[in-house]
Amino acid sequence: KQSGKKSCVVGVVGNKNKGKSFLLTKLAGIKLPSGHSLTTKGLSVKYPTIDQQNIVLLDTAGLETPITSSTEVYDLENELKNKLAEEKKEFDESIKELPDDDGSKERKEKEHEDNLRREILSKFTTDKQITEYFLQTFILQESHILIFLVEQLTYSDQKLLNRIKNECKGKKLFVVHNLYTLTTKQQVEEYIENTLMKSLTFKLKKVKMTEFDEGAKKEEAKKEDVNQYFWTEEYMGKSSDEDDTDDDDKGEIIHYIMANDNSEAGKYYNAIAIKLLQ
């Protein structure tokens, strides 16, 4: 709860560099770093005010992030140094019979260090994957509404979406196709036709926004410069009894399209997508 009122928890999932920060800034109507924010390694909890409602945004640093930060590199090198020190006596004993003058010992030392480095990196990568999976699971379980951000759809995106369908029964799920490399309406329409509509992951139905909205938004949707459609599908989540499902397990997925924010396509798609998400 926040300020004595119930909050709506909105989880945002997606791989790194898909535009999550951009989307959250647009949704909240503020630059999120300037608002209330509690950040831990890999997980961010933010409390923006949207139309006077209590909203909690759950976001991760991004799945499949590369190992690049100075802290991570330092940790790896420090672990390697400690491991070499621990094994020095045993290793020196193993190579003491090798000649000193033909470079054999130096080659063995290099080979030993390379093997240790690979072993430590493999363990670190596994730990990183487990942490990302845990954070992802936390967001999927604790959110009332999920926003799944993709760029142009990939196999990795499809696998994650299938996991969400299986684990998030009855939740509202929005898939935002953030096509920030596309600048023209023709490019976006080709993506919709050739990727979105032909994906085996989806069973999509094209819906007019005038059937979805009322009042001022309905009038706005009639304008020629506003995208008049979104795409929707139903999915069946996993029941607590795997042999039985009911209406509570049904969920709805709504797909929205966004493009490069400073382009012709962005002007056509982005504003209405943000309004409907809000």
Side-chain angles (χ1 to χ4, degrees):
K1 290 186 179 181
Q2 181 187 3
S3 304
K5 299 179 181 179
K6 290 184 178 179
S7 297
C8 176
V9 181
V10 180
V12 183
V13 294
N15 291 324
K16 182 179 172 60
N17 293 331
K18 300 300 182 185
K20 288 197 276 74
S21 296
F22 166 77
L23 178 64
L24 292 176
T25 298
K26 288 280 190 182
L27 282 177
I30 58 172
K31 290 188 177 180
L32 289 175
S34 65
H36 297 290
S37 176
L38 171 65
T39 303
T40 59
K41 187 176 182 180
L43 177 66
S44 178
V45 184
K46 298 181 174 69
Y47 304 95
T49 299
I50 302 176
D51 293 336
Q52 304 307 310
Q53 298 179 36
N54 284 329
I55 305 293
V56 178
L57 292 173
L58 298 181
D59 178 28
T60 68
L63 305 177
E64 299 180 0
T65 54
I67 302 170
T68 57
S69 76
S70 57
T71 302
E72 289 176 330
V73 172
Y74 174 81
D75 289 344
L76 287 172
E77 292 298 330
N78 199 45
E79 186 171 351
L80 176 62
K81 185 190 300 182
N82 292 337
K83 193 76 173 174
L84 286 170
E86 287 175 13
E87 298 185 3
K88 181 173 176 26
K89 184 175 180 181
E90 182 180 345
F91 177 73
D92 287 348
E93 184 68 21
S94 70
I95 64 171
K96 69 178 183 179
E97 301 297 331
L98 294 176
D100 294 321
D101 56 356
D102 67 350
S104 299
K105 287 186 176 180
E106 287 80 1
R107 285 194 296 274
K108 280 290 184 183
E109 287 174 353
K110 181 67 168 58
E111 181 182 334
H112 178 59
E113 182 176 331
D114 287 344
N115 287 337
L116 275 181
R117 187 183 296 276
R118 281 192 290 269
E119 178 186 318
I120 290 168
L121 184 59
S122 176
K123 176 181 177 297
F124 184 87
T125 303
T126 301
D127 290 344
K128 187 176 176 66
Q129 289 173 337
I130 292 171
T131 300
E132 288 179 346
Y133 188 86
F134 169 78
L135 292 174
Q136 186 186 96
T137 300
F138 174 78
I139 288 181
L140 296 187
Q141 290 178 349
E142 298 302 320
S143 301
H144 302 119
I145 294 172
L146 286 163
I147 299 175
F148 178 38
L149 202 66
V150 302
E151 189 190 346
Q152 297 196 41
L153 194 67
T154 66
Y155 174 60
S156 176
D157 296 327
Q158 290 174 311
K159 286 197 300 182
L160 178 52
L161 184 57
N162 281 328
R163 182 190 171 200
I164 293 171
K165 286 180 177 181
N166 286 331
E167 296 185 16
C168 299
K169 59 181 183 180
K171 292 188 179 182
K172 179 80 78 174
L173 171 61
F174 297 98
V175 179
V176 179
H177 300 258
N178 185 28
L179 311 175
Y180 54 83
T181 60
L182 305 186
T183 58
T184 69
K185 288 167 59 177
Q186 181 179 349
Q187 290 173 328
V188 174
E189 287 165 4
E190 287 174 356
Y191 169 81
I192 293 170
E193 180 65 28
N194 297 325
T195 299
L196 190 58
M197 300 307 293
K198 293 182 179 178
S199 169
L200 296 177
T201 311
F202 311 131
K203 295 180 180 178
L204 296 181
K205 180 175 67 174
K206 191 174 182 181
V207 181
K208 269 194 173 183
M209 289 184 185
T210 50
E211 298 172 6
F212 177 88
D213 257 343
E214 297 177 359
K217 287 183 181 178
K218 188 180 218 180
E219 292 302 315
E220 187 174 1
K222 293 178 181 178
K223 298 177 182 178
E224 290 185 1
D225 62 343
V226 174
N227 173 30
Q228 296 184 22
Y229 298 94
F230 62 94
W231 292 262
T232 184
E233 63 173 317
E234 286 188 352
Y235 71 97
M236 186 68 73
K238 185 186 294 182
S239 173
S240 55
D241 181 351
E242 293 190 1
D243 296 326
D244 186 29
T245 56
D246 55 37
D247 287 343
D248 291 337
D249 296 324
K250 288 182 180 178
E252 183 182 26
I253 302 177
I254 297 178
H255 294 253
Y256 292 127
I257 297 292
M258 297 180 68
N260 186 291
D261 202 40
N262 298 314
S263 70
E264 167 208 359
K267 291 181 174 64
Y268 185 79
Y269 287 100
N270 294 8
I272 193 68
I274 293 298
K275 282 187 179 181
L276 291 177
L277 278 170
Q278 287 175 331

